[in-house]
Amino acid sequence: MTSARSVTRSAPSSVQATTVTSALLTVQTPGRGFTDLTSEAARFIAEARAGEGALTLFIRHTSASLTIQENADPSVLVDLTTALSRLAPENAGWTHDTEGPDDMPAHIKTMLTQTSLLVPVLSGKLALGTWQAIYLIEHRSRPHRREIVLQFIGSDR
């Protein structure tokens, strides 16, 4: 059990959601790996004149996904790519291989990760932790054009 002295919480604050702002972000991936979307998300929040609320990111694909992960040590992303490849290897005898041997493993990796993220926005800024970044994960080996819907719901500045 956690001691009451080791837990603190700020006072609740509330705003009325007065705005919904949306955009479509198109990203050309280089192939399998992570693409940092944090600066694009921050730019969208600035252009939306966001105050307090939430940013939703939703990827419109079944063979790529989204995640929030460490942005300080690139070896984390290498190890995550290795882990996903071990969980859904290309040579496992999958039935669905319409678009090649990386097709079904890409769908499994998407199922294991996320197709949408919700990031709080506080005082017009993404409320990410110091070492956090928003990434698109491309699960296919060849380059693809990916679309991510960005939507801010909250108050404006």
Side-chain angles (χ1 to χ4, degrees):
M1 178 158 203
T2 303
S3 163
R5 292 184 181 158
S6 66
V7 177
T8 61
R9 177 180 54 81
S10 67
S13 65
S14 64
V15 297
Q16 184 171 351
T18 56
T19 187
V20 176
T21 306
S22 303
L24 184 63
L25 177 64
T26 302
V27 178
Q28 183 65 44
T29 69
R32 186 174 292 121
F34 290 74
T35 301
D36 190 338
L37 303 178
T38 312
S39 63
E40 288 296 330
R43 183 173 17 232
F44 169 73
I45 289 300
E47 290 172 2
R49 300 194 40 77
E52 306 286 320
L55 170 64
T56 300
L57 299 94
F58 175 78
I59 191 162
R60 298 166 59 164
H61 303 279
T62 60
S63 58
S65 57
L66 301 169
T67 192
I68 295 174
Q69 264 304 327
E70 179 176 329
N71 64 0
D73 184 349
S75 68
V76 169
L77 303 180
V78 171
D79 288 344
L80 289 171
T81 300
T82 300
L84 287 171
S85 293
R86 288 178 182 165
L87 290 169
E90 288 186 18
N91 60 353
W94 308 110
T95 303
H96 177 72
D97 61 359
T98 306
E99 296 178 39
D102 66 341
D103 194 12
M104 190 61 214
H107 293 300
I108 294 168
K109 292 169 188 176
T110 297
M111 187 176 72
L112 293 172
T113 52
Q114 300 173 78
T115 55
S116 66
L117 300 173
L118 183 77
V119 180
V121 176
L122 302 174
S123 301
K125 304 284 183 203
L126 297 170
L128 293 169
T130 302
W131 309 114
Q132 290 182 318
I134 300 166
Y135 293 98
L136 179 160
I137 313 170
E138 177 59 68
H139 301 300
R140 302 298 304 274
S141 53
R142 67 176 178 81
H144 279 78
R145 188 175 144 265
R146 302 301 190 175
E147 294 180 343
I148 299 100
V149 176
L150 305 173
Q151 188 172 69
F152 171 75
I153 299 175
S155 66
D156 52 9
R157 283 186 262 149

